[in-house]
Amino acid sequence: MIKPMPPEISLEALVAGDRAEFARLVDAYSDPIYRLGLRMLGTPQDAEDVLQNTFLNAMIHLPKFEGRSSLLTWLYRIASNEALMLIRKKKPEINLEDVSPSESDEDLKPLQFTDWSALPEDELLSGEGKQTLDRAIHTLPESLRIVFLLRDVEGLSIKETAEALNLTEVNVKTRLLRARLFLREQLSSYYGERLAHEVQND
Amino acid sequence: MTEHTHGNCENLLGSLSEYIDGELNPELCAEIEKHLAGCENCRVVLNTTKRTIDLVQTPTENPAMPTDVRERLFKRLNLDDYLNPK
């Protein structure tokens, strides 16, 4: 999933302040950064703010980039901070430290046991199916969503996700499990009903 | 369905993510697979969780950024002179 650094981008040139090189960096990575902003904040305007602030910050701090993580992980780290800061500003009531999608662990127990996993992909991702998936991702609490997006959508490793979010790997794993189970439950409600409907109509 | 204790389902649930990601040691994997063989509900949870992850990773889920957004970004970064070559 994760794109390696395009070979034509030189870290040395970036650190030295080469503008053409920075423009290439922007083109290589603005899509995933924009997408992350869109999925965290939910509106194109906020996603654009996250995108612009991420690359502005990157431009300012690149001369001090020490290369302890990959450049992309470093960009995701800046973008995640920007997104979370904007969420804090817009919705101060949200607890971003919260690792549970709901009040109690009991709610994590699976309730849906319909096996819809063999349904063909085009059926699962038909217009309504895709909307259900997007909606389900959007209903994930922010503290879980950011972990899920970095790990499962953008393809960072557990270690890279932990670095990007300044969390321990254990915390990332806990949040990831909760996010995955939460989404599974949401999708199972929807696809389970569709399956039952199909069986009835057969 | 084979007899099994509910505690085993909870153990599996706790390790589900790591099992899917292939991050568990062979002993734990074997233990989980033994449980899965006899527990249909856990098999369903495993299959549907894997499928959920597959679905979010399908390329249709990754729309590109609009061109006007790219233009404004380049302007904000004072990189207007590099707008053309993409």
Side-chain angles (χ1 to χ4, degrees):
Chain A
M1 277 298 284
I2 196 160
K3 279 191 279 181
M5 177 99 140
E8 70 274 20
I9 292 182
S10 147
L11 184 59
E12 210 171 67
L14 284 175
V15 172
D18 185 321
R19 293 173 68 250
E21 208 62 8
F22 196 84
R24 279 195 283 275
L25 177 82
V26 173
D27 272 335
Y29 295 133
S30 49
D31 275 347
I33 300 296
Y34 180 75
R35 203 162 59 215
L36 182 72
L38 196 55
R39 286 215 158 120
M40 279 312 292
L41 277 305
T43 71
Q45 182 55 57
D46 288 340
E48 194 168 340
D49 283 350
V50 170
L51 176 76
Q52 292 190 355
N53 289 339
T54 298
F55 283 104
L56 275 173
N57 263 314
M59 203 178 230
I60 294 166
H61 296 292
L62 249 177
K64 285 186 282 178
F65 178 70
E66 290 174 356
R68 272 183 296 205
S69 60
S70 79
L71 200 53
L72 183 56
T73 304
W74 183 70
L75 283 176
Y76 277 129
R77 183 187 177 101
I78 301 173
S80 304
N81 273 333
E82 288 296 331
L84 294 172
M85 254 171 14
L86 198 51
I87 290 168
R88 275 190 197 100
K89 208 164 98 186
K90 295 195 155 220
K91 304 178 191 168
E93 72 282 3
I94 284 180
N95 177 9
L96 292 170
E97 310 308 317
D98 189 11
V99 294
S100 170
S102 57
E103 302 268 309
S104 126
D105 268 11
E106 278 295 298
D107 294 340
L108 282 175
K109 275 193 189 154
L111 299 170
Q112 311 275 343
F113 297 104
T114 307
D115 195 350
W116 48 269
S117 63
L119 280 172
E121 194 155 282
D122 54 352
E123 191 167 337
L124 291 170
L125 290 175
S126 66
E128 206 186 321
K130 191 178 170 302
Q131 273 175 21
T132 304
L133 180 61
D134 286 343
R135 215 170 26 243
I137 292 175
H138 201 71
T139 52
L140 269 174
E142 283 82 351
S143 59
L144 303 186
R145 200 187 321 153
I146 188 77
V147 169
F148 178 78
L149 291 176
L150 290 181
R151 174 73 182 93
D152 279 346
V153 178
E154 302 303 333
L156 267 65
S157 68
I158 296 282
K159 186 166 177 279
E160 288 167 333
T161 307
E163 277 169 13
L165 298 174
N166 223 7
L167 295 172
T168 63
E169 289 185 35
V170 172
N171 194 322
V172 166
K173 284 181 185 175
T174 306
R175 292 188 194 207
L176 183 65
L177 173 65
R178 286 167 192 236
R180 286 171 167 181
L181 288 175
F182 180 88
L183 288 179
R184 187 207 79 88
E185 207 67 28
Q186 304 279 313
L187 293 189
S188 295
S189 299
Y190 174 73
Y191 293 126
E193 265 177 44
R194 290 233 325 224
L195 264 179
H197 197 68
E198 277 176 23
V199 170
Q200 251 178 11
N201 289 346
D202 272 348
Chain B
M1 205 186 295
T2 318
E3 272 299 308
H4 68 278
T5 59
H6 190 58
N8 288 341
C9 298
E10 282 180 4
N11 284 342
L12 181 130
L13 207 59
S15 309
L16 186 70
S17 255
E18 287 167 281
Y19 178 71
I20 289 173
D21 293 342
E23 287 170 1
L24 288 183
N25 64 47
E27 290 80 27
L28 273 171
C29 282
E31 218 173 280
I32 282 178
E33 276 149 21
K34 196 175 150 201
H35 174 76
L36 283 169
C39 182
E40 194 184 345
N41 279 355
C42 281
R43 280 202 302 275
V44 171
V45 172
L46 172 69
N47 291 342
T48 48
T49 305
K50 272 180 163 170
R51 197 78 172 113
T52 299
I53 300 166
D54 288 347
L55 286 180
V56 296
Q57 291 178 344
T58 50
T60 56
E61 281 302 292
N62 297 332
M65 183 179 81
T67 49
D68 57 324
V69 175
R70 177 175 177 267
E71 269 177 40
R72 286 192 293 272
L73 174 62
F74 271 67
K75 282 181 185 152
R76 181 88 196 273
L77 296 167
N78 287 326
L79 293 172
D80 314 36
D81 39 339
Y82 295 102
L83 254 174
N84 288 330
K86 191 182 177 181

